[in-house]
Amino acid sequence: MKAEAGRVGISATSDTVAFSRWPHRLAVALAYATFPLLFIGGLVTSKGAGLAVPDWPTTFGYNMFLYPWSKMIGAVFYEHSHRLFASFVGLLTIALAVAFWLRERRSLLRWLGVVALGLIIIQGILGGLRVILLESTLAILHACFAHAFFALTVALALFTSREWRSETIGAMIADGGRLWRLGAMTTAFIYIQVIFGAVLRHSGERLDAHLLFAGLVAVHVILLLWRVTKHHGANLKLVRSAYGLGILLLLQLLLGAGSYMAKFTILLSLPADMLVFLTTTHLIVGALMLATSLGLSLRSYRLSAAVGPAIGSTALREQVSL
């Protein structure tokens, strides 16, 4: 007997007959491209290069794409490279939105492609206004939108995968409702932690809130790992995600402690380049934690036998027929 198909209107349906690999390929490419963009953006902040190019959308009066490579030196190299790579991610997002609209029959996914396109446009505008208006608040919003966009790309890659499209999803998990709610809370706390991390990086304020949510994230990751290993050890994908999240937590705590001691105390003295690498790595490990927690939450939601009726008439009809 076929298990209940996926959830929230992005599940497998009879439309899988017209399956196209391009939406998934582009979604994966976009997620992989967004991750190094986060690292480059972190380098720009850590190097203090965010205002190295004083104009936007031009670069010292040049068309951004025609700026001479020979002039990309020092802080200009980091800032202009960030702009170029962000433009590449923007083009990938346009391609993804078009592919979703032409090849993806799940309407919610089509609109999520539009949302992704809207987010990257807003992100570009925020980055440009940060340069023109010299507002640190815009830099914080820019950082927060970057992580939200990355999380969305990871979700889109999962939703378009064969695993998610499959009409059979294996054995349901009895306490899936508890598991996905715990995962959702963990994901939310990680994102709030990202927000306060952005505030701290760009303003030097709210270290207290950053540390508070670091503790909340640690507790919830431990609880999530305990629940998955105790009750769902047979589900390898959930177990691997939970262990991966636990490993990332340990790494993040070490990086955070090192960054704190190097920046705010005299206990650890590091060369400037090492401190930049440490703080930037701390940022991207947080992004990986956000993506991993989100993926685990979405998988547990799909496997939950206790979830209410899914949104979307096709999924609802499948549940009623079962």
Side-chain angles (χ1 to χ4, degrees):
M1 175 180 175
K2 290 184 178 180
E4 182 181 359
R7 310 289 180 181
V8 292
I10 45 180
S11 59
T13 68
S14 59
D15 292 335
T16 54
V17 174
F19 172 69
S20 171
R21 291 187 177 89
W22 277 108
H24 179 61
R25 288 170 178 169
L26 287 170
V28 171
L30 181 59
Y32 274 112
T34 303
F35 183 68
L37 179 59
L38 289 174
F39 186 80
I40 297 170
L43 282 178
V44 169
T45 301
S46 299
K47 288 282 189 178
L51 301 175
V53 179
D55 52 333
W56 180 84
T58 55
T59 300
F60 295 106
Y62 286 86
N63 180 298
M64 178 172 49
F65 302 105
L66 301 178
Y67 185 70
W69 287 86
S70 60
K71 294 178 181 285
M72 290 177 58
I73 56 175
V76 174
F77 170 78
Y78 294 101
E79 169 61 9
H80 190 61
S81 297
H82 181 57
R83 292 186 181 191
L84 293 178
F85 207 91
S87 299
F88 171 67
V89 170
L91 291 174
L92 270 180
T93 308
I94 293 173
L96 178 71
V98 171
F100 272 16
W101 208 258
L102 296 179
R103 296 291 184 179
E104 181 57 63
R105 295 196 175 186
R106 292 170 289 181
S107 61
L108 183 54
L109 264 185
R110 277 190 256 169
W111 285 110
L112 283 177
V114 174
V115 170
L117 182 57
L119 274 178
I120 201 67
I121 292 172
I122 294 172
Q123 182 72 335
I125 293 173
L126 285 173
L129 291 178
R130 161 70 176 125
V131 172
I132 295 173
L133 301 179
L134 306 178
E135 284 286 342
S136 60
T137 302
L138 293 174
I140 294 170
L141 289 173
H142 188 64
C144 296
F145 269 90
H147 283 78
F149 179 76
F150 177 59
L152 178 58
T153 64
V154 171
L156 292 178
L158 179 60
F159 293 154
T160 54
S161 65
R162 284 191 177 276
E163 169 195 350
W164 203 272
R165 281 181 170 275
S166 175
E167 292 187 2
T168 56
I169 61 174
M172 294 294 184
I173 51 180
D175 68 336
R178 292 181 180 179
L179 181 60
W180 77 258
R181 283 192 291 271
L182 178 59
M185 288 180 63
T186 305
T187 305
F189 282 139
I190 292 173
Y191 187 66
I192 295 172
Q193 169 75 339
V194 164
I195 293 173
F196 283 116
V199 172
L200 182 62
R201 282 173 63 84
H202 290 280
S203 70
E205 300 176 353
R206 300 318 308 262
L207 175 63
D208 54 345
H210 189 59
L211 294 176
L212 170 64
F213 276 92
L216 289 173
V217 168
V219 169
H220 280 75
V221 169
I222 292 170
L223 290 174
L224 196 57
L225 178 59
W226 173 80
R227 178 165 289 278
V228 170
T229 53
K230 182 177 181 180
H231 299 287
H232 311 291
N235 191 309
L236 291 181
K237 289 184 177 179
L238 292 181
V239 170
R240 288 169 183 167
S241 294
Y243 274 117
L245 191 57
I247 293 170
L248 288 171
L249 172 66
L250 290 176
L251 178 58
Q252 185 72 328
L253 291 175
L254 290 173
L255 290 169
S259 300
Y260 175 80
M261 289 189 292
K263 291 182 69 174
F264 299 107
T265 74
I266 59 173
L267 299 176
L268 183 62
S269 179
L270 293 175
D273 287 343
M274 180 60 70
L275 180 58
V276 166
F277 178 78
L278 192 68
T279 55
T280 306
T281 304
H282 183 61
L283 180 150
I284 62 168
V285 171
L288 285 176
M289 288 186 66
L290 180 66
T292 304
S293 180
L294 177 62
L296 194 156
S297 303
L298 290 172
R299 282 194 172 100
S300 59
Y301 182 71
R302 187 168 186 249
L303 290 170
S304 174
V307 174
I311 301 173
S313 58
T314 303
L316 181 61
R317 285 197 301 271
E318 289 175 353
Q319 288 185 324
V320 171
S321 65
L322 286 171

